[in-house]
Amino acid sequence: MIYLYEHNQIINNSLIERLIQNMPKERQEKALKYKKTIDRDFCAIGYWLLCKGLKNEYNIIENLQLDYSKYGKPSLSAYPEIHFNISHCDAGVACVVSTVETGIDMQDIRPYNPAVARRVCTAEEMEQLEKSKNPEILFCKLWTIKESSIKMCGASLACMENKDSADWLISQAPGYVYMYWGENYHLCCFGTDGKIEFIRDIA
């Protein structure tokens, strides 16, 4: 299940402070390192979404100890059979909870930069981008596919420069690949059941 909170309301500072206080120490430190307030807020909300998902799907309510792989992929020490991943952008934050390895990425649609695209896209994808009337939208989609695949594998984001095509990555996915267009953003998730819950209120 994917839990998605879109940034469509004013976030109360006292709420964020409470969420941060309830996070594990290493997650608190990560949230407080962000320079942008919105990144700090969404880091806290992302952990809250994880807790919500674990409670809804597994009735897990205790404090969570998170482990991290070499490249920063988080996992649950006490529940290695449960997989999750979190992503956020200026438009919102999403968390996926799954029974299989999973990765999720959520990206704002930004002005198209051909130099960045050439670093991660195949020749065929670059041709598609050059012909596209909206290359910023197409590139956002390609990027989220590539990054969510890498996050599922727990690899370094530098692997994007291997230039595996988005179509090939989808064809190799173990299970369902879910994609969603929001307002000014794109979300892609590997290793999910395709269900999504839109979160309107953070308690």
Side-chain angles (χ1 to χ4, degrees):
M1 173 77 81
I2 297 169
Y3 298 87
L4 174 62
Y5 172 80
E6 295 178 308
H7 188 206
N8 53 12
Q9 59 181 300
I10 297 174
I11 300 174
N12 186 289
N13 283 332
S14 61
L15 169 63
I16 295 300
E17 290 174 3
R18 177 170 60 81
L19 294 182
I20 291 176
Q21 289 173 359
N22 290 331
M23 295 195 301
K25 183 178 179 181
E26 73 277 2
R27 194 76 186 178
Q28 290 181 9
E29 292 173 351
K30 180 177 180 178
L32 296 174
K33 282 181 180 178
Y34 281 113
K35 295 181 179 180
K36 291 172 60 178
T37 300
I38 192 170
D39 291 331
R40 179 208 65 183
D41 293 351
F42 285 171
C43 181
I45 292 173
Y47 181 79
W48 181 88
L49 291 175
L50 171 61
C51 293
K52 180 179 178 64
L54 293 174
K55 181 180 179 181
N56 287 356
E57 298 180 39
Y58 298 96
N59 199 31
I60 296 173
I61 58 175
E62 72 263 27
N63 289 332
L64 303 169
Q65 178 62 43
L66 303 183
D67 288 333
Y68 294 88
S69 69
K70 177 181 179 181
Y71 295 111
K73 183 177 182 179
S75 60
L76 299 171
S77 305
Y79 302 97
E81 72 281 7
I82 301 174
H83 304 274
F84 74 94
N85 209 227
I86 300 170
S87 182
H88 76 266
C89 62
D90 287 353
V93 55
C95 174
V96 56
V97 177
S98 178
T99 57
V100 298
E101 289 287 358
T102 188
I104 194 167
D105 188 50
M106 184 176 182
Q107 293 287 339
D108 301 299
I109 299 173
R110 296 174 177 169
Y112 174 59
N113 185 331
V116 174
R118 282 192 292 270
R119 289 176 52 193
V120 300
C121 290
T122 66
E124 183 179 354
E125 288 170 339
M126 287 303 303
E127 184 177 351
Q128 293 171 357
L129 286 163
E130 289 166 4
K131 293 179 178 178
S132 175
K133 293 181 179 179
N134 301 106
E136 68 282 2
I137 293 176
L138 175 57
F139 182 65
C140 184
K141 178 182 178 180
L142 294 172
W143 181 279
T144 57
I145 293 170
K146 293 168 187 277
E147 184 165 341
S148 56
S149 174
I150 288 173
K151 290 178 70 178
M152 176 189 66
C153 299
S156 166
L157 289 182
C159 290
M160 291 180 74
E161 297 187 13
N162 293 340
K163 298 185 179 181
D164 293 324
S165 76
D167 288 342
W168 183 84
L169 291 171
I170 290 173
S171 73
Q172 299 300 304
Y176 193 78
V177 178
Y178 179 86
M179 284 184 271
Y180 174 78
W181 284 106
E183 185 176 354
N184 298 318
Y185 75 89
H186 186 256
L187 179 148
C188 179
C189 183
F190 279 62
T192 175
D193 58 9
K195 296 178 181 177
I196 186 167
E197 179 178 342
F198 292 89
I199 306 300
R200 305 303 180 190
D201 297 303
I202 307 295

